[in-house]
Amino acid sequence: MGAFAKAFKTTPEELGMFLVYDVSHNIAKIETHAVVPPGGGDPVLKRLLVHRKGATRAFPPHHPSIPVDYQFCGQPIIVGGTMGTCSEVLVGTDQAMAETFGSTCHGAGRAQSRNKSRRTLSPEEVLADLARQGISIRVASPKLVSEEAPDSYKNVTAVCDTCHEAGISKKVATMKPWGVIKG
């Protein structure tokens, strides 16, 4: 039995829940991008191996590599927050194609190491804080509670605001957690 079914005593399908969108990060892909030659001049289309470590694709509307369902809005980007903070939905932009090989952030990044989080953040205090916010959690190991605590990460809204202001992705929606499953 999977973690979801175990926690909720039913399957996602039985609740009418289906995968809406899935995206990879920390991946290398062969893609075609416009590259300015070393001596300058007009950009030239080149096939490149783009390795996104700590990043994800941010392709703009009408890009041939994104599914037809997203052609009018651009590639959706789900930027996960922490167990106790919001997550953001962004879309790709033309500016991302020009400046970052069609890439933007995929998360906020850690503010402190997993070891430091385990040493300084009490799982009981983290769970109590989440409960005060009305957030339920199911976790396989108590050490994950401290490692993945909101204080272990940078502010996801600030990171997404920076990407939005830089023009490499556009903010669309903010989502607040009501349940967390860490396996």
Side-chain angles (χ1 to χ4, degrees), residues 24-37:
S24 297
H25 63 274
N26 297 343
I27 192 169
K29 293 189 109 170
I30 295 175
E31 300 171 352
T32 302
H33 290 276
V35 179
V36 175

Side-chain angles (χ1 to χ4, degrees), residues 110-126 142-149 152:
R110 296 194 70 85
Q112 58 188 27
S113 72
R114 293 180 187 281
N115 285 335
K116 183 174 181 184
S117 293
R118 281 195 305 270
R119 285 193 318 272
T120 61
L121 302 172
S122 152
E124 295 78 18
E125 289 177 21
V126 173
K143 75 177 187 175
L144 284 176
V145 173
S146 297
E147 289 177 6
E148 299 296 322
S152 297

Side-chain angles (χ1 to χ4, degrees), residues 23-26 52 54-58 77-79 102-106:
V23 65
S24 297
H25 63 274
N26 297 343
R52 293 181 178 91
T56 194
R57 284 169 95 177
I77 302 141
I78 299 171
V79 184
S103 304
T104 194
C105 68
H106 81 82

Side-chain angles (χ1 to χ4, degrees), residues 21-25 54-58 75-83 85-92 103-109 153-164 168-177:
Y21 187 71
D22 191 13
V23 65
S24 297
H25 63 274
T56 194
R57 284 169 95 177
Q75 183 162 21
I77 302 141
I78 299 171
V79 184
T82 70
M83 297 185 293
T85 63
C86 67
S87 295
E88 302 280 352
V89 178
L90 315 174
V91 290
S103 304
T104 194
C105 68
H106 81 82
Y153 288 87
K154 297 173 191 167
N155 182 313
V156 71
T157 300
V159 170
C160 290
D161 285 348
T162 299
C163 292
H164 178 88
I168 60 172
S169 48
K170 179 179 162 189
K171 288 180 74 170
V172 174
T174 300
M175 302 177 291
K176 181 184 182 303

Side-chain angles (χ1 to χ4, degrees), residues 43-94:
V44 177
L45 289 180
K46 290 197 169 245
R47 283 187 49 162
L48 306 171
L49 178 63
V50 179
H51 180 213
R52 293 181 178 91
K53 176 72 176 153
T56 194
R57 284 169 95 177
F59 287 5
H62 311 295
H63 192 281
S65 295
I66 60 175
V68 68
D69 289 349
Y70 307 118
Q71 282 293 313
F72 291 109
C73 62
Q75 183 162 21
I77 302 141
I78 299 171
V79 184
T82 70
M83 297 185 293
T85 63
C86 67
S87 295
E88 302 280 352
V89 178
L90 315 174
V91 290
T93 65
D94 288 316

